[in-house]
Amino acid sequence: MTDANNRRAAATIMLQGTASDVGKSLLATAICRILKQDGIKAAPFKSQNMSLNSYVTPDGKEIGRAQGMQADACGIAATTDMNPILLKPKQDMAAQVVVHGKPFADMSARDYRERYLPEAEQIVKAALARLRDEYEAVVLEGAGSPAEVNLKDRDIVNMRLAGWADAPVLLVADIDRGGVFASIVGTMDILEPEERDRVRGVIINKFRGDVSLLTPGLEWLERKIGKPVLGVVPYLDDLQLEDEDGASLDSKGYRKKAATGQELDIAILRLPRLSNFTDFDPLLQEPGVNVRYVRDAREWGEPDVVIVPGSKNATEDLLFLRNTGLESLLLRHIEEGGRATGICAGYQMMGRRLLDPDLVESDLPEVAGMNLFPMETTYAKDKKTERVIGTVAAGFGAVSPGAEIQGYEIHMGRTDFLEPVLQPFLVQSSRLTGEQAPYQRYHPYQPFHPDGAISEDGRLWGTYVHGIFHNDRFRHDWLNEVRQGNGLAPSDRITAFGRLRELSFDRLADHVRLHLDMEAVYRIMNGGERE
């Protein structure tokens, strides 16, 4: 395909699914990596993403985590053109609409569909056109299923998008959940004739077992739908790649605590509106560390560390902790000398008050916090999203002062301290005090921006910085501090999480290349042969 200037636009391929969570994101990631391995300059694209697990681009904008990961697999910097519209659920029937990385409005599902989708269509088309002008190939990912008949007339993420992109479609189905043949045949039957024509092949994903036993079914399927099965991709365990949806936490295989008690037990509170849970992926790869998500008091156990994670609605999730008794257990844990950490909204909950005069978070203008630090957070409509670099302000135990930290911030609240505190947790060098940093009255750190707070003994700390545990040296030293506090021997092994992630991209790509007919995929991409 060529544009008005006779310059060839990027080739396209699109993955759509028979349902949500069939593995579209990971298969798209694999194809992105394969294209990179084969020397093709490729980019990912998902027009509209719904996720609380977001990614901050190098220029400080917010997109879906999956497209950020796919850009990393392509070896390129992520931009908002790769995910121009991000929906972040706040309540059951309402979401924050993020357009090109910045909050646009809070909308109900009906208002978004009836009033905003026509405008969103133009935003999506423009973003896709820019990508096709810059790259040699674009790997598109759909959402949910293209067979949702009640949504098709204003679709901007499945078959209508495929038409705008002139993209051939590969239909992905999950055999692990059962009913794979019915889901494929049913999807194809619901599609309009021109939509069925756009489907060029089928991928059966998450297979477990002997593929030869599946052969009669595959032959029947190809005759039934008139499309080839391009691959049966076996389930791949233990990938160090992030998930897009919190539902995946139900299927993650967490290590069980050793009977000897020689493992650290880290409990993460599973909030109803948990966001950016990928903050804790590096902890899952640490030997001698047991990580588990706790959603009610019965699962509390005897944790060594409790983490209060990020949330899209800190007010309502704090009330959830209060109503379920988890807050009481956390406070007792701290009173008895236990360790606790708050990340972003979890850090905000540790203060004395959450103030919401404009009802940005909920319909409650004020909610009492946990009163662990002398601070209050006020919510406003402006949202802060940026990459940050800093250092640990003061050492505690095995964590030395001056340790470098990199991460990102995504939050709508401003935290102010009501009285002097011992020390901030971090000193960031990415922002100046001209923004009236919350410690300005009580700390002489100039010209840097202090972040978070830490108790005198280092057992309690909080920060706005997401991704802090992705810093290998900090994570290693912090875990050793907890080990030493528990009378355990420190570890001398530093887990290089970034390296594990890169190896996982290649492992995923090699796995998919082995089980997917990539020569056929290359031929299908916009009808062109691989050059």
Side-chain angles (χ1 to χ4, degrees):
M1 179 179 178
T2 57
D3 61 16
N5 298 317
N6 292 321
R7 180 170 51 191
R8 189 179 189 278
T12 55
I13 192 77
M14 186 171 191
L15 278 71
Q16 296 185 26
T18 57
S20 297
D21 198 32
V22 298
K24 297 186 298 293
S25 293
L26 274 181
L27 286 173
T29 302
I31 292 175
C32 283
R33 190 59 159 204
I34 288 171
L35 293 174
K36 178 181 184 297
Q37 291 173 342
D38 292 350
I40 296 171
K41 185 182 178 184
F45 182 77
K46 187 168 184 176
S47 57
Q48 171 193 286
N49 206 337
M50 178 174 284
S51 176
L52 288 178
N53 212 23
S54 54
Y55 180 103
V56 173
T57 61
D59 60 348
K61 306 292 179 57
E62 187 178 13
I63 64 173
R65 169 63 57 173
Q67 282 61 63
M69 178 178 70
Q70 289 160 3
D72 291 342
C74 289
I76 59 176
T79 70
T80 62
D81 279 341
M82 298 170 189
N83 176 214
I85 298 177
L86 174 63
L87 305 179
K88 303 193 74 173
K90 296 183 67 174
Q91 297 169 332
D92 289 342
M93 294 298 293
Q96 180 185 71
V97 180
V98 178
V99 179
H100 275 298
K102 292 296 183 182
F104 173 74
D106 290 349
M107 293 187 188
S108 69
R110 181 175 297 277
D111 283 346
Y112 177 75
R113 173 171 167 74
E114 295 182 354
R115 299 181 184 179
Y116 189 67
L117 277 182
E119 181 177 348
E121 177 178 324
Q122 301 308 313
I123 293 170
V124 166
K125 288 178 176 178
L128 176 60
R130 286 189 292 269
L131 287 180
R132 296 195 69 192
D133 187 54
E134 182 176 356
Y135 292 92
E136 297 174 312
V138 178
V139 180
L140 293 84
E141 179 186 339
S145 164
E148 303 291 348
V149 294
N150 57 312
L151 302 177
K152 288 176 67 173
D153 63 324
R154 297 193 181 184
D155 164 48
I156 65 168
V157 71
N158 284 313
M159 280 299 177
R160 289 180 76 223
L161 172 62
W164 302 334
D166 192 22
V169 172
L170 305 182
L171 185 64
V172 180
D174 176 3
I175 196 171
D176 195 43
R177 65 176 64 190
V180 69
F181 297 119
S183 66
I184 295 169
V185 173
T187 298
M188 293 295 290
D189 185 61
I190 291 173
L191 295 179
E192 298 297 328
E194 63 273 15
E195 295 172 336
R196 285 196 293 272
D197 289 344
R198 193 167 288 283
V199 176
R200 301 292 299 278
V202 172
I203 302 173
I204 294 178
N205 197 26
K206 304 183 189 178
F207 180 72
R208 304 174 193 257
D210 182 352
V211 72
S212 66
L213 299 177
L214 195 62
T215 300
L218 300 180
E219 294 172 347
W220 174 89
L221 179 65
E222 290 184 333
R223 291 193 302 270
K224 180 71 175 177
I225 66 174
K227 307 289 181 180
V229 176
L230 298 178
V232 177
V233 181
Y235 193 92
L236 187 61
D237 286 318
D238 198 28
L239 275 176
Q240 282 79 55
L241 297 177
E242 49 266 53
D243 293 299
E244 182 178 38
D245 197 312
S248 64
L249 297 177
D250 294 326
S251 59
K252 274 184 176 288
Y254 296 105
R255 292 182 292 272
K256 295 182 179 179
K257 190 167 184 176
T260 60
Q262 295 302 301
E263 285 195 339
L264 296 180
D265 185 37
I266 298 180
I268 303 169
L269 302 185
R270 186 167 176 181
L271 306 172
R273 293 164 184 83
L274 170 67
S275 66
N276 292 77
F277 60 85
T278 52
D279 283 344
F280 314 113
D281 284 357
L283 296 174
L284 296 172
Q285 305 307 319
E286 287 287 350
V289 177
N290 170 52
V291 178
R292 55 195 176 89
Y293 280 83
V294 174
R295 73 184 90 198
D296 61 51
R298 295 169 297 179
E299 300 173 343
W300 185 260
E302 297 181 1
D304 299 310
V305 180
V306 179
I307 298 178
V308 189
S311 164
K312 189 62 190 74
N313 192 320
T315 298
E316 292 193 8
D317 278 353
L318 175 58
L319 295 177
F320 163 81
L321 295 179
R322 197 158 286 161
N323 294 334
T324 58
L326 287 171
E327 181 191 39
S328 296
L329 289 170
L330 172 61
L331 295 177
R332 186 175 70 185
H333 166 81
I334 295 170
E335 289 172 0
E336 294 175 351
R339 298 173 183 270
T341 293
I343 306 294
C344 197
Y347 165 55
Q348 294 173 342
M349 295 178 198
M350 290 178 163
R352 290 180 182 171
R353 289 182 292 275
L354 300 179
L355 305 176
D356 193 1
D358 297 324
L359 304 183
V360 173
E361 287 271 303
S362 71
D363 56 0
L364 298 174
E366 179 175 342
V367 172
M370 297 180 186
N371 200 26
L372 297 172
F373 289 119
M375 66 190 198
E376 63 182 20
T377 297
T378 303
Y379 295 107
K381 294 181 180 180
D382 293 336
K383 188 173 190 177
K384 183 178 293 299
T385 59
E386 63 182 355
R387 296 280 184 107
V388 297
I389 300 173
T391 58
V392 174
F396 53 101
V399 181
S400 302
E404 184 175 298
I405 295 295
Q406 296 187 31
Y408 60 97
E409 290 190 29
I410 304 177
H411 60 90
M412 300 186 76
R414 167 189 166 86
T415 296
D416 292 285
F417 277 76
L418 306 175
E419 61 187 62
V421 293
L422 176 67
Q423 57 197 8
F425 177 60
L426 301 176
V427 176
Q428 298 176 3
S429 57
S430 61
R431 284 187 275 148
L432 301 178
T433 55
E435 293 187 350
Q436 297 180 341
Y439 292 92
Q440 197 168 10
R441 287 176 289 170
Y442 303 122
H443 293 282
Y445 294 94
Q446 303 285 343
F448 302 109
H449 172 86
D451 166 81
I454 183 171
S455 63
E456 185 173 4
D457 60 8
R459 290 179 173 270
L460 178 66
W461 56 270
T463 178
Y464 269 121
V465 179
H466 289 285
I468 192 164
F469 294 119
H470 286 68
N471 294 273
D472 294 338
R473 169 57 71 176
F474 170 82
R475 184 180 69 253
H476 171 267
D477 291 350
W478 175 69
L479 289 172
N480 273 345
E481 166 65 13
V482 179
R483 288 187 179 101
Q484 291 173 359
N486 288 10
L488 301 177
S491 170
D492 58 1
R493 170 185 168 183
I494 298 180
T495 301
F497 183 75
R499 176 60 178 161
L500 288 177
R501 188 168 179 267
E502 279 295 306
L503 291 173
S504 287
F505 282 138
D506 289 332
R507 179 175 168 233
L508 173 64
D510 293 345
H511 178 75
V512 170
R513 193 192 288 268
L514 181 63
H515 298 284
L516 178 64
D517 186 349
M518 280 303 302
E519 288 301 322
V521 172
Y522 275 116
R523 290 194 300 269
I524 288 169
M525 291 175 69
N526 265 0
E529 294 285 340
R530 177 185 171 189
E531 297 180 355

